[in-house]
Amino acid sequence: MCGIVGYTGPREAGPILLEGLKRLEYRGYDSAGIALVDESGDLFLAKKAGKLANLETEINGRTPHAALGLAHTRWATHGRPDDLNAHPHQDCSGEITVIHNGIIENFRELRDELEAAGHRLTSETDTEALAHLIEDAYEGDLADAVRAALRKVEGAYAIAVMHKREVSRLVGARLNVPLVVGRNGEESFIASDVSAILAHTNQVVFLEDGDVADVRPTGIEVTGVDGRPRSRELTTIDWTPEAAEKGGYETFMLKEIHEQPEALRQSLAGRLGRDGRISLPELEPMAAAVKAATRVELVACGTASYAAMVGASAIERWTDLPARVTVGSEFRYDPPPLDGRTLVIAVTQSGETADTIAPTRLARERGCPIVAVTNTVGSAITREADAILFLQAGPEIAVAASKTFVTQVTTLVVLAAAIARLRGTLPDDEEVGLVRALQALPSAAARALELNGPGASELARRYVNSRGFMYVGRGATYPAALEGALKLKEISYVHAEGYPAGELKHGPISLLDAECPLVAVATRSATYDKLVSNVMEGRARDARVIAVATEGDPQIERFADDVCWVPDTHEVVSPVLAIIPLQLFAYEIARARGTDVDQPRNLAKSVTVE
Ligand code: M6R
């Protein structure tokens, strides 16, 4: 997804902006650009398709002297990912420079009107229309012009704008796309997310929908697009810049896989009482709505939807409520019946996934009580919810989710137990057993890493030439099979499918042979024996079998060619441990195939377009 960084202050803007773009590379992008204005109003602009290194080559690794500037990484939505469509974009006079994340939905009408009025638009982008709209509205005050232009715009945007004649001023604005402003003494920053500017400041304002920020070295003023002042607080971010770096690992993903024990510890902190009870004060204001609920609808995408499956099954196990997971892109246009007694749980690590936010908004409009489960403070989903459960997993930079999957699972399981307790359906011994298992989970995850880390590359070597993989699970283990298959395909580009093991014989078994191994998530569960029978059927078709199994399982080695051992735990949270060897396996297959693990092709970390 696109990245924004802007600077105004006493220092050289160029190096700060390029460094900010580097920190945003994890979001995925296909071109990059930078614009700088010096104190005499001279403008420098460069943009280039491809990786940031292409832009650096274009400018010979040097930026000219300037204390004001904007920079952008683009992930194409309108128009090809080429030099011309790369941001920044400008008006006819070349005085106004704009960068933008999101989509201007009425850009065709705007473009037609602008061209009819004599403006010359040179790119295929929706963003360029904004620069010309601002040009039309400009009467000497950039913030006024931006506000006037935005009043004509429909869609979703985070923008940053500067004008050659206002040499220390940036204007930022957001609607449905994140934007933060950072402050540090005599300098200010603007960014699509905190990691771009964390090396310079931990004092940020999370802009809200409809905000326009007038950003100067000495401070910021926020108004609405109507010009009325809005009050916004500075938030202190406690993520260190080091926390967002690789810290000795070769990739962010490997670092994040290894951070899972700590992420689980932090995520569970405060949610497990010493008395053996679940503690979820965030849910208390919603107690009446939870007690009155007749059904639960979970909405999420990708990895988050697999974690949501674990949550739904825990809710049905401990409460009298039916619970269902629908992926956001389906929920939005074919929603289930929604009313004030439908409890909606939106799960999104970024909190900015358009496909998850839109259905949540719809549910809110229909009066549903809403719980958001997210990793991102200040994100869009937090404004749609009655209660917010933060994952507290720390920043996840790699595009492929790892530590946010396991913390989504535990947070949703805690939520399921809290709902059950509020409704009086959670037996005491179940709660005590669950809390014990959760308390042990961080060290069990560390053990799963110890057991599987050292052998992962050798295991991958044995299977790297396979044509494809069939991941199977049953009941509690099925979401882990889906997530394991997703990890493999997204980072290694090898085809993998996740299936309920019992379904193999209804079709996919025809794919199995010596070139298509079965990966069986066969940890201890109520349906273990059934799963083993299904896997035997696959083995009879010459498929090699990799099994993820619980330490001490006496029979697994009889039918598996390779076994990845994990510690025993409560069946409900077993995907947290089962996924660890599957993450490592996917990682090592990707490494063996030489793919870009942290930024796989065609993918973005936070998908803020539909
Ligand atoms: O930020 P979100 O949790 O809403 O993101 C949802 C999916 O886009 C995300 O989980 C995606 O599937 C990841 N690439 C998985 O690794």
Side-chain angles (χ1 to χ4, degrees), residues 301-304 347-351 353 356 399-401 408 486-487 490 605 607:
C301 302
T303 289
V347 190
T348 161
Q349 83 78 24
S350 64
T353 298
T356 303
V399 167
Q408 276 166 350
L486 178 65
K487 286 291 86 80
E490 63 180 341
K605 181 67 180 166
V607 186

Side-chain angles (χ1 to χ4, degrees), residues 266-415:
Q266 276 180 33
S267 188
L268 290 165
R271 291 184 173 149
L272 309 176
R274 284 212 188 86
D275 55 355
R277 304 285 155 163
I278 294 289
S279 159
L280 204 57
E282 297 95 318
L283 200 62
E284 277 159 24
M286 290 184 71
V290 169
K291 286 182 195 160
T294 52
R295 359 202 304 273
V296 183
E297 294 287 346
L298 294 99
V299 60
C301 302
T303 289
S305 73
Y306 304 145
M309 289 169 70
V310 180
S313 137
I315 291 168
E316 291 194 335
R317 177 182 178 122
W318 292 319
T319 76
D320 49 344
L321 292 168
R324 173 170 55 174
V325 182
T326 311
V327 291
S329 51
E330 291 297 316
F331 190 120
R332 183 171 188 178
Y333 296 107
D334 187 12
L338 298 168
D339 60 27
R341 300 181 73 184
T342 314
L343 178 64
V344 170
I345 302 173
V347 190
T348 161
Q349 83 78 24
S350 64
E352 300 290 349
T353 298
D355 283 335
T356 303
I357 288 165
T360 308
R361 215 166 260 161
L362 174 78
R364 195 165 64 121
E365 282 158 18
R366 302 228 177 137
C368 305
I370 292 174
V371 182
V373 176
T374 183
N375 199 31
T376 315
V377 179
S379 63
I381 200 75
T382 61
R383 287 185 278 282
E384 305 299 333
D386 301 294
I388 307 161
L389 307 186
F390 288 110
L391 299 181
Q392 296 168 165
E396 187 176 71
I397 304 294
V399 167
S402 55
K403 61 180 177 170
T404 57
F405 172 71
V406 296
T407 51
Q408 276 166 350
V409 168
T410 52
T411 306
L412 285 163
V413 167
V414 167
L415 173 61

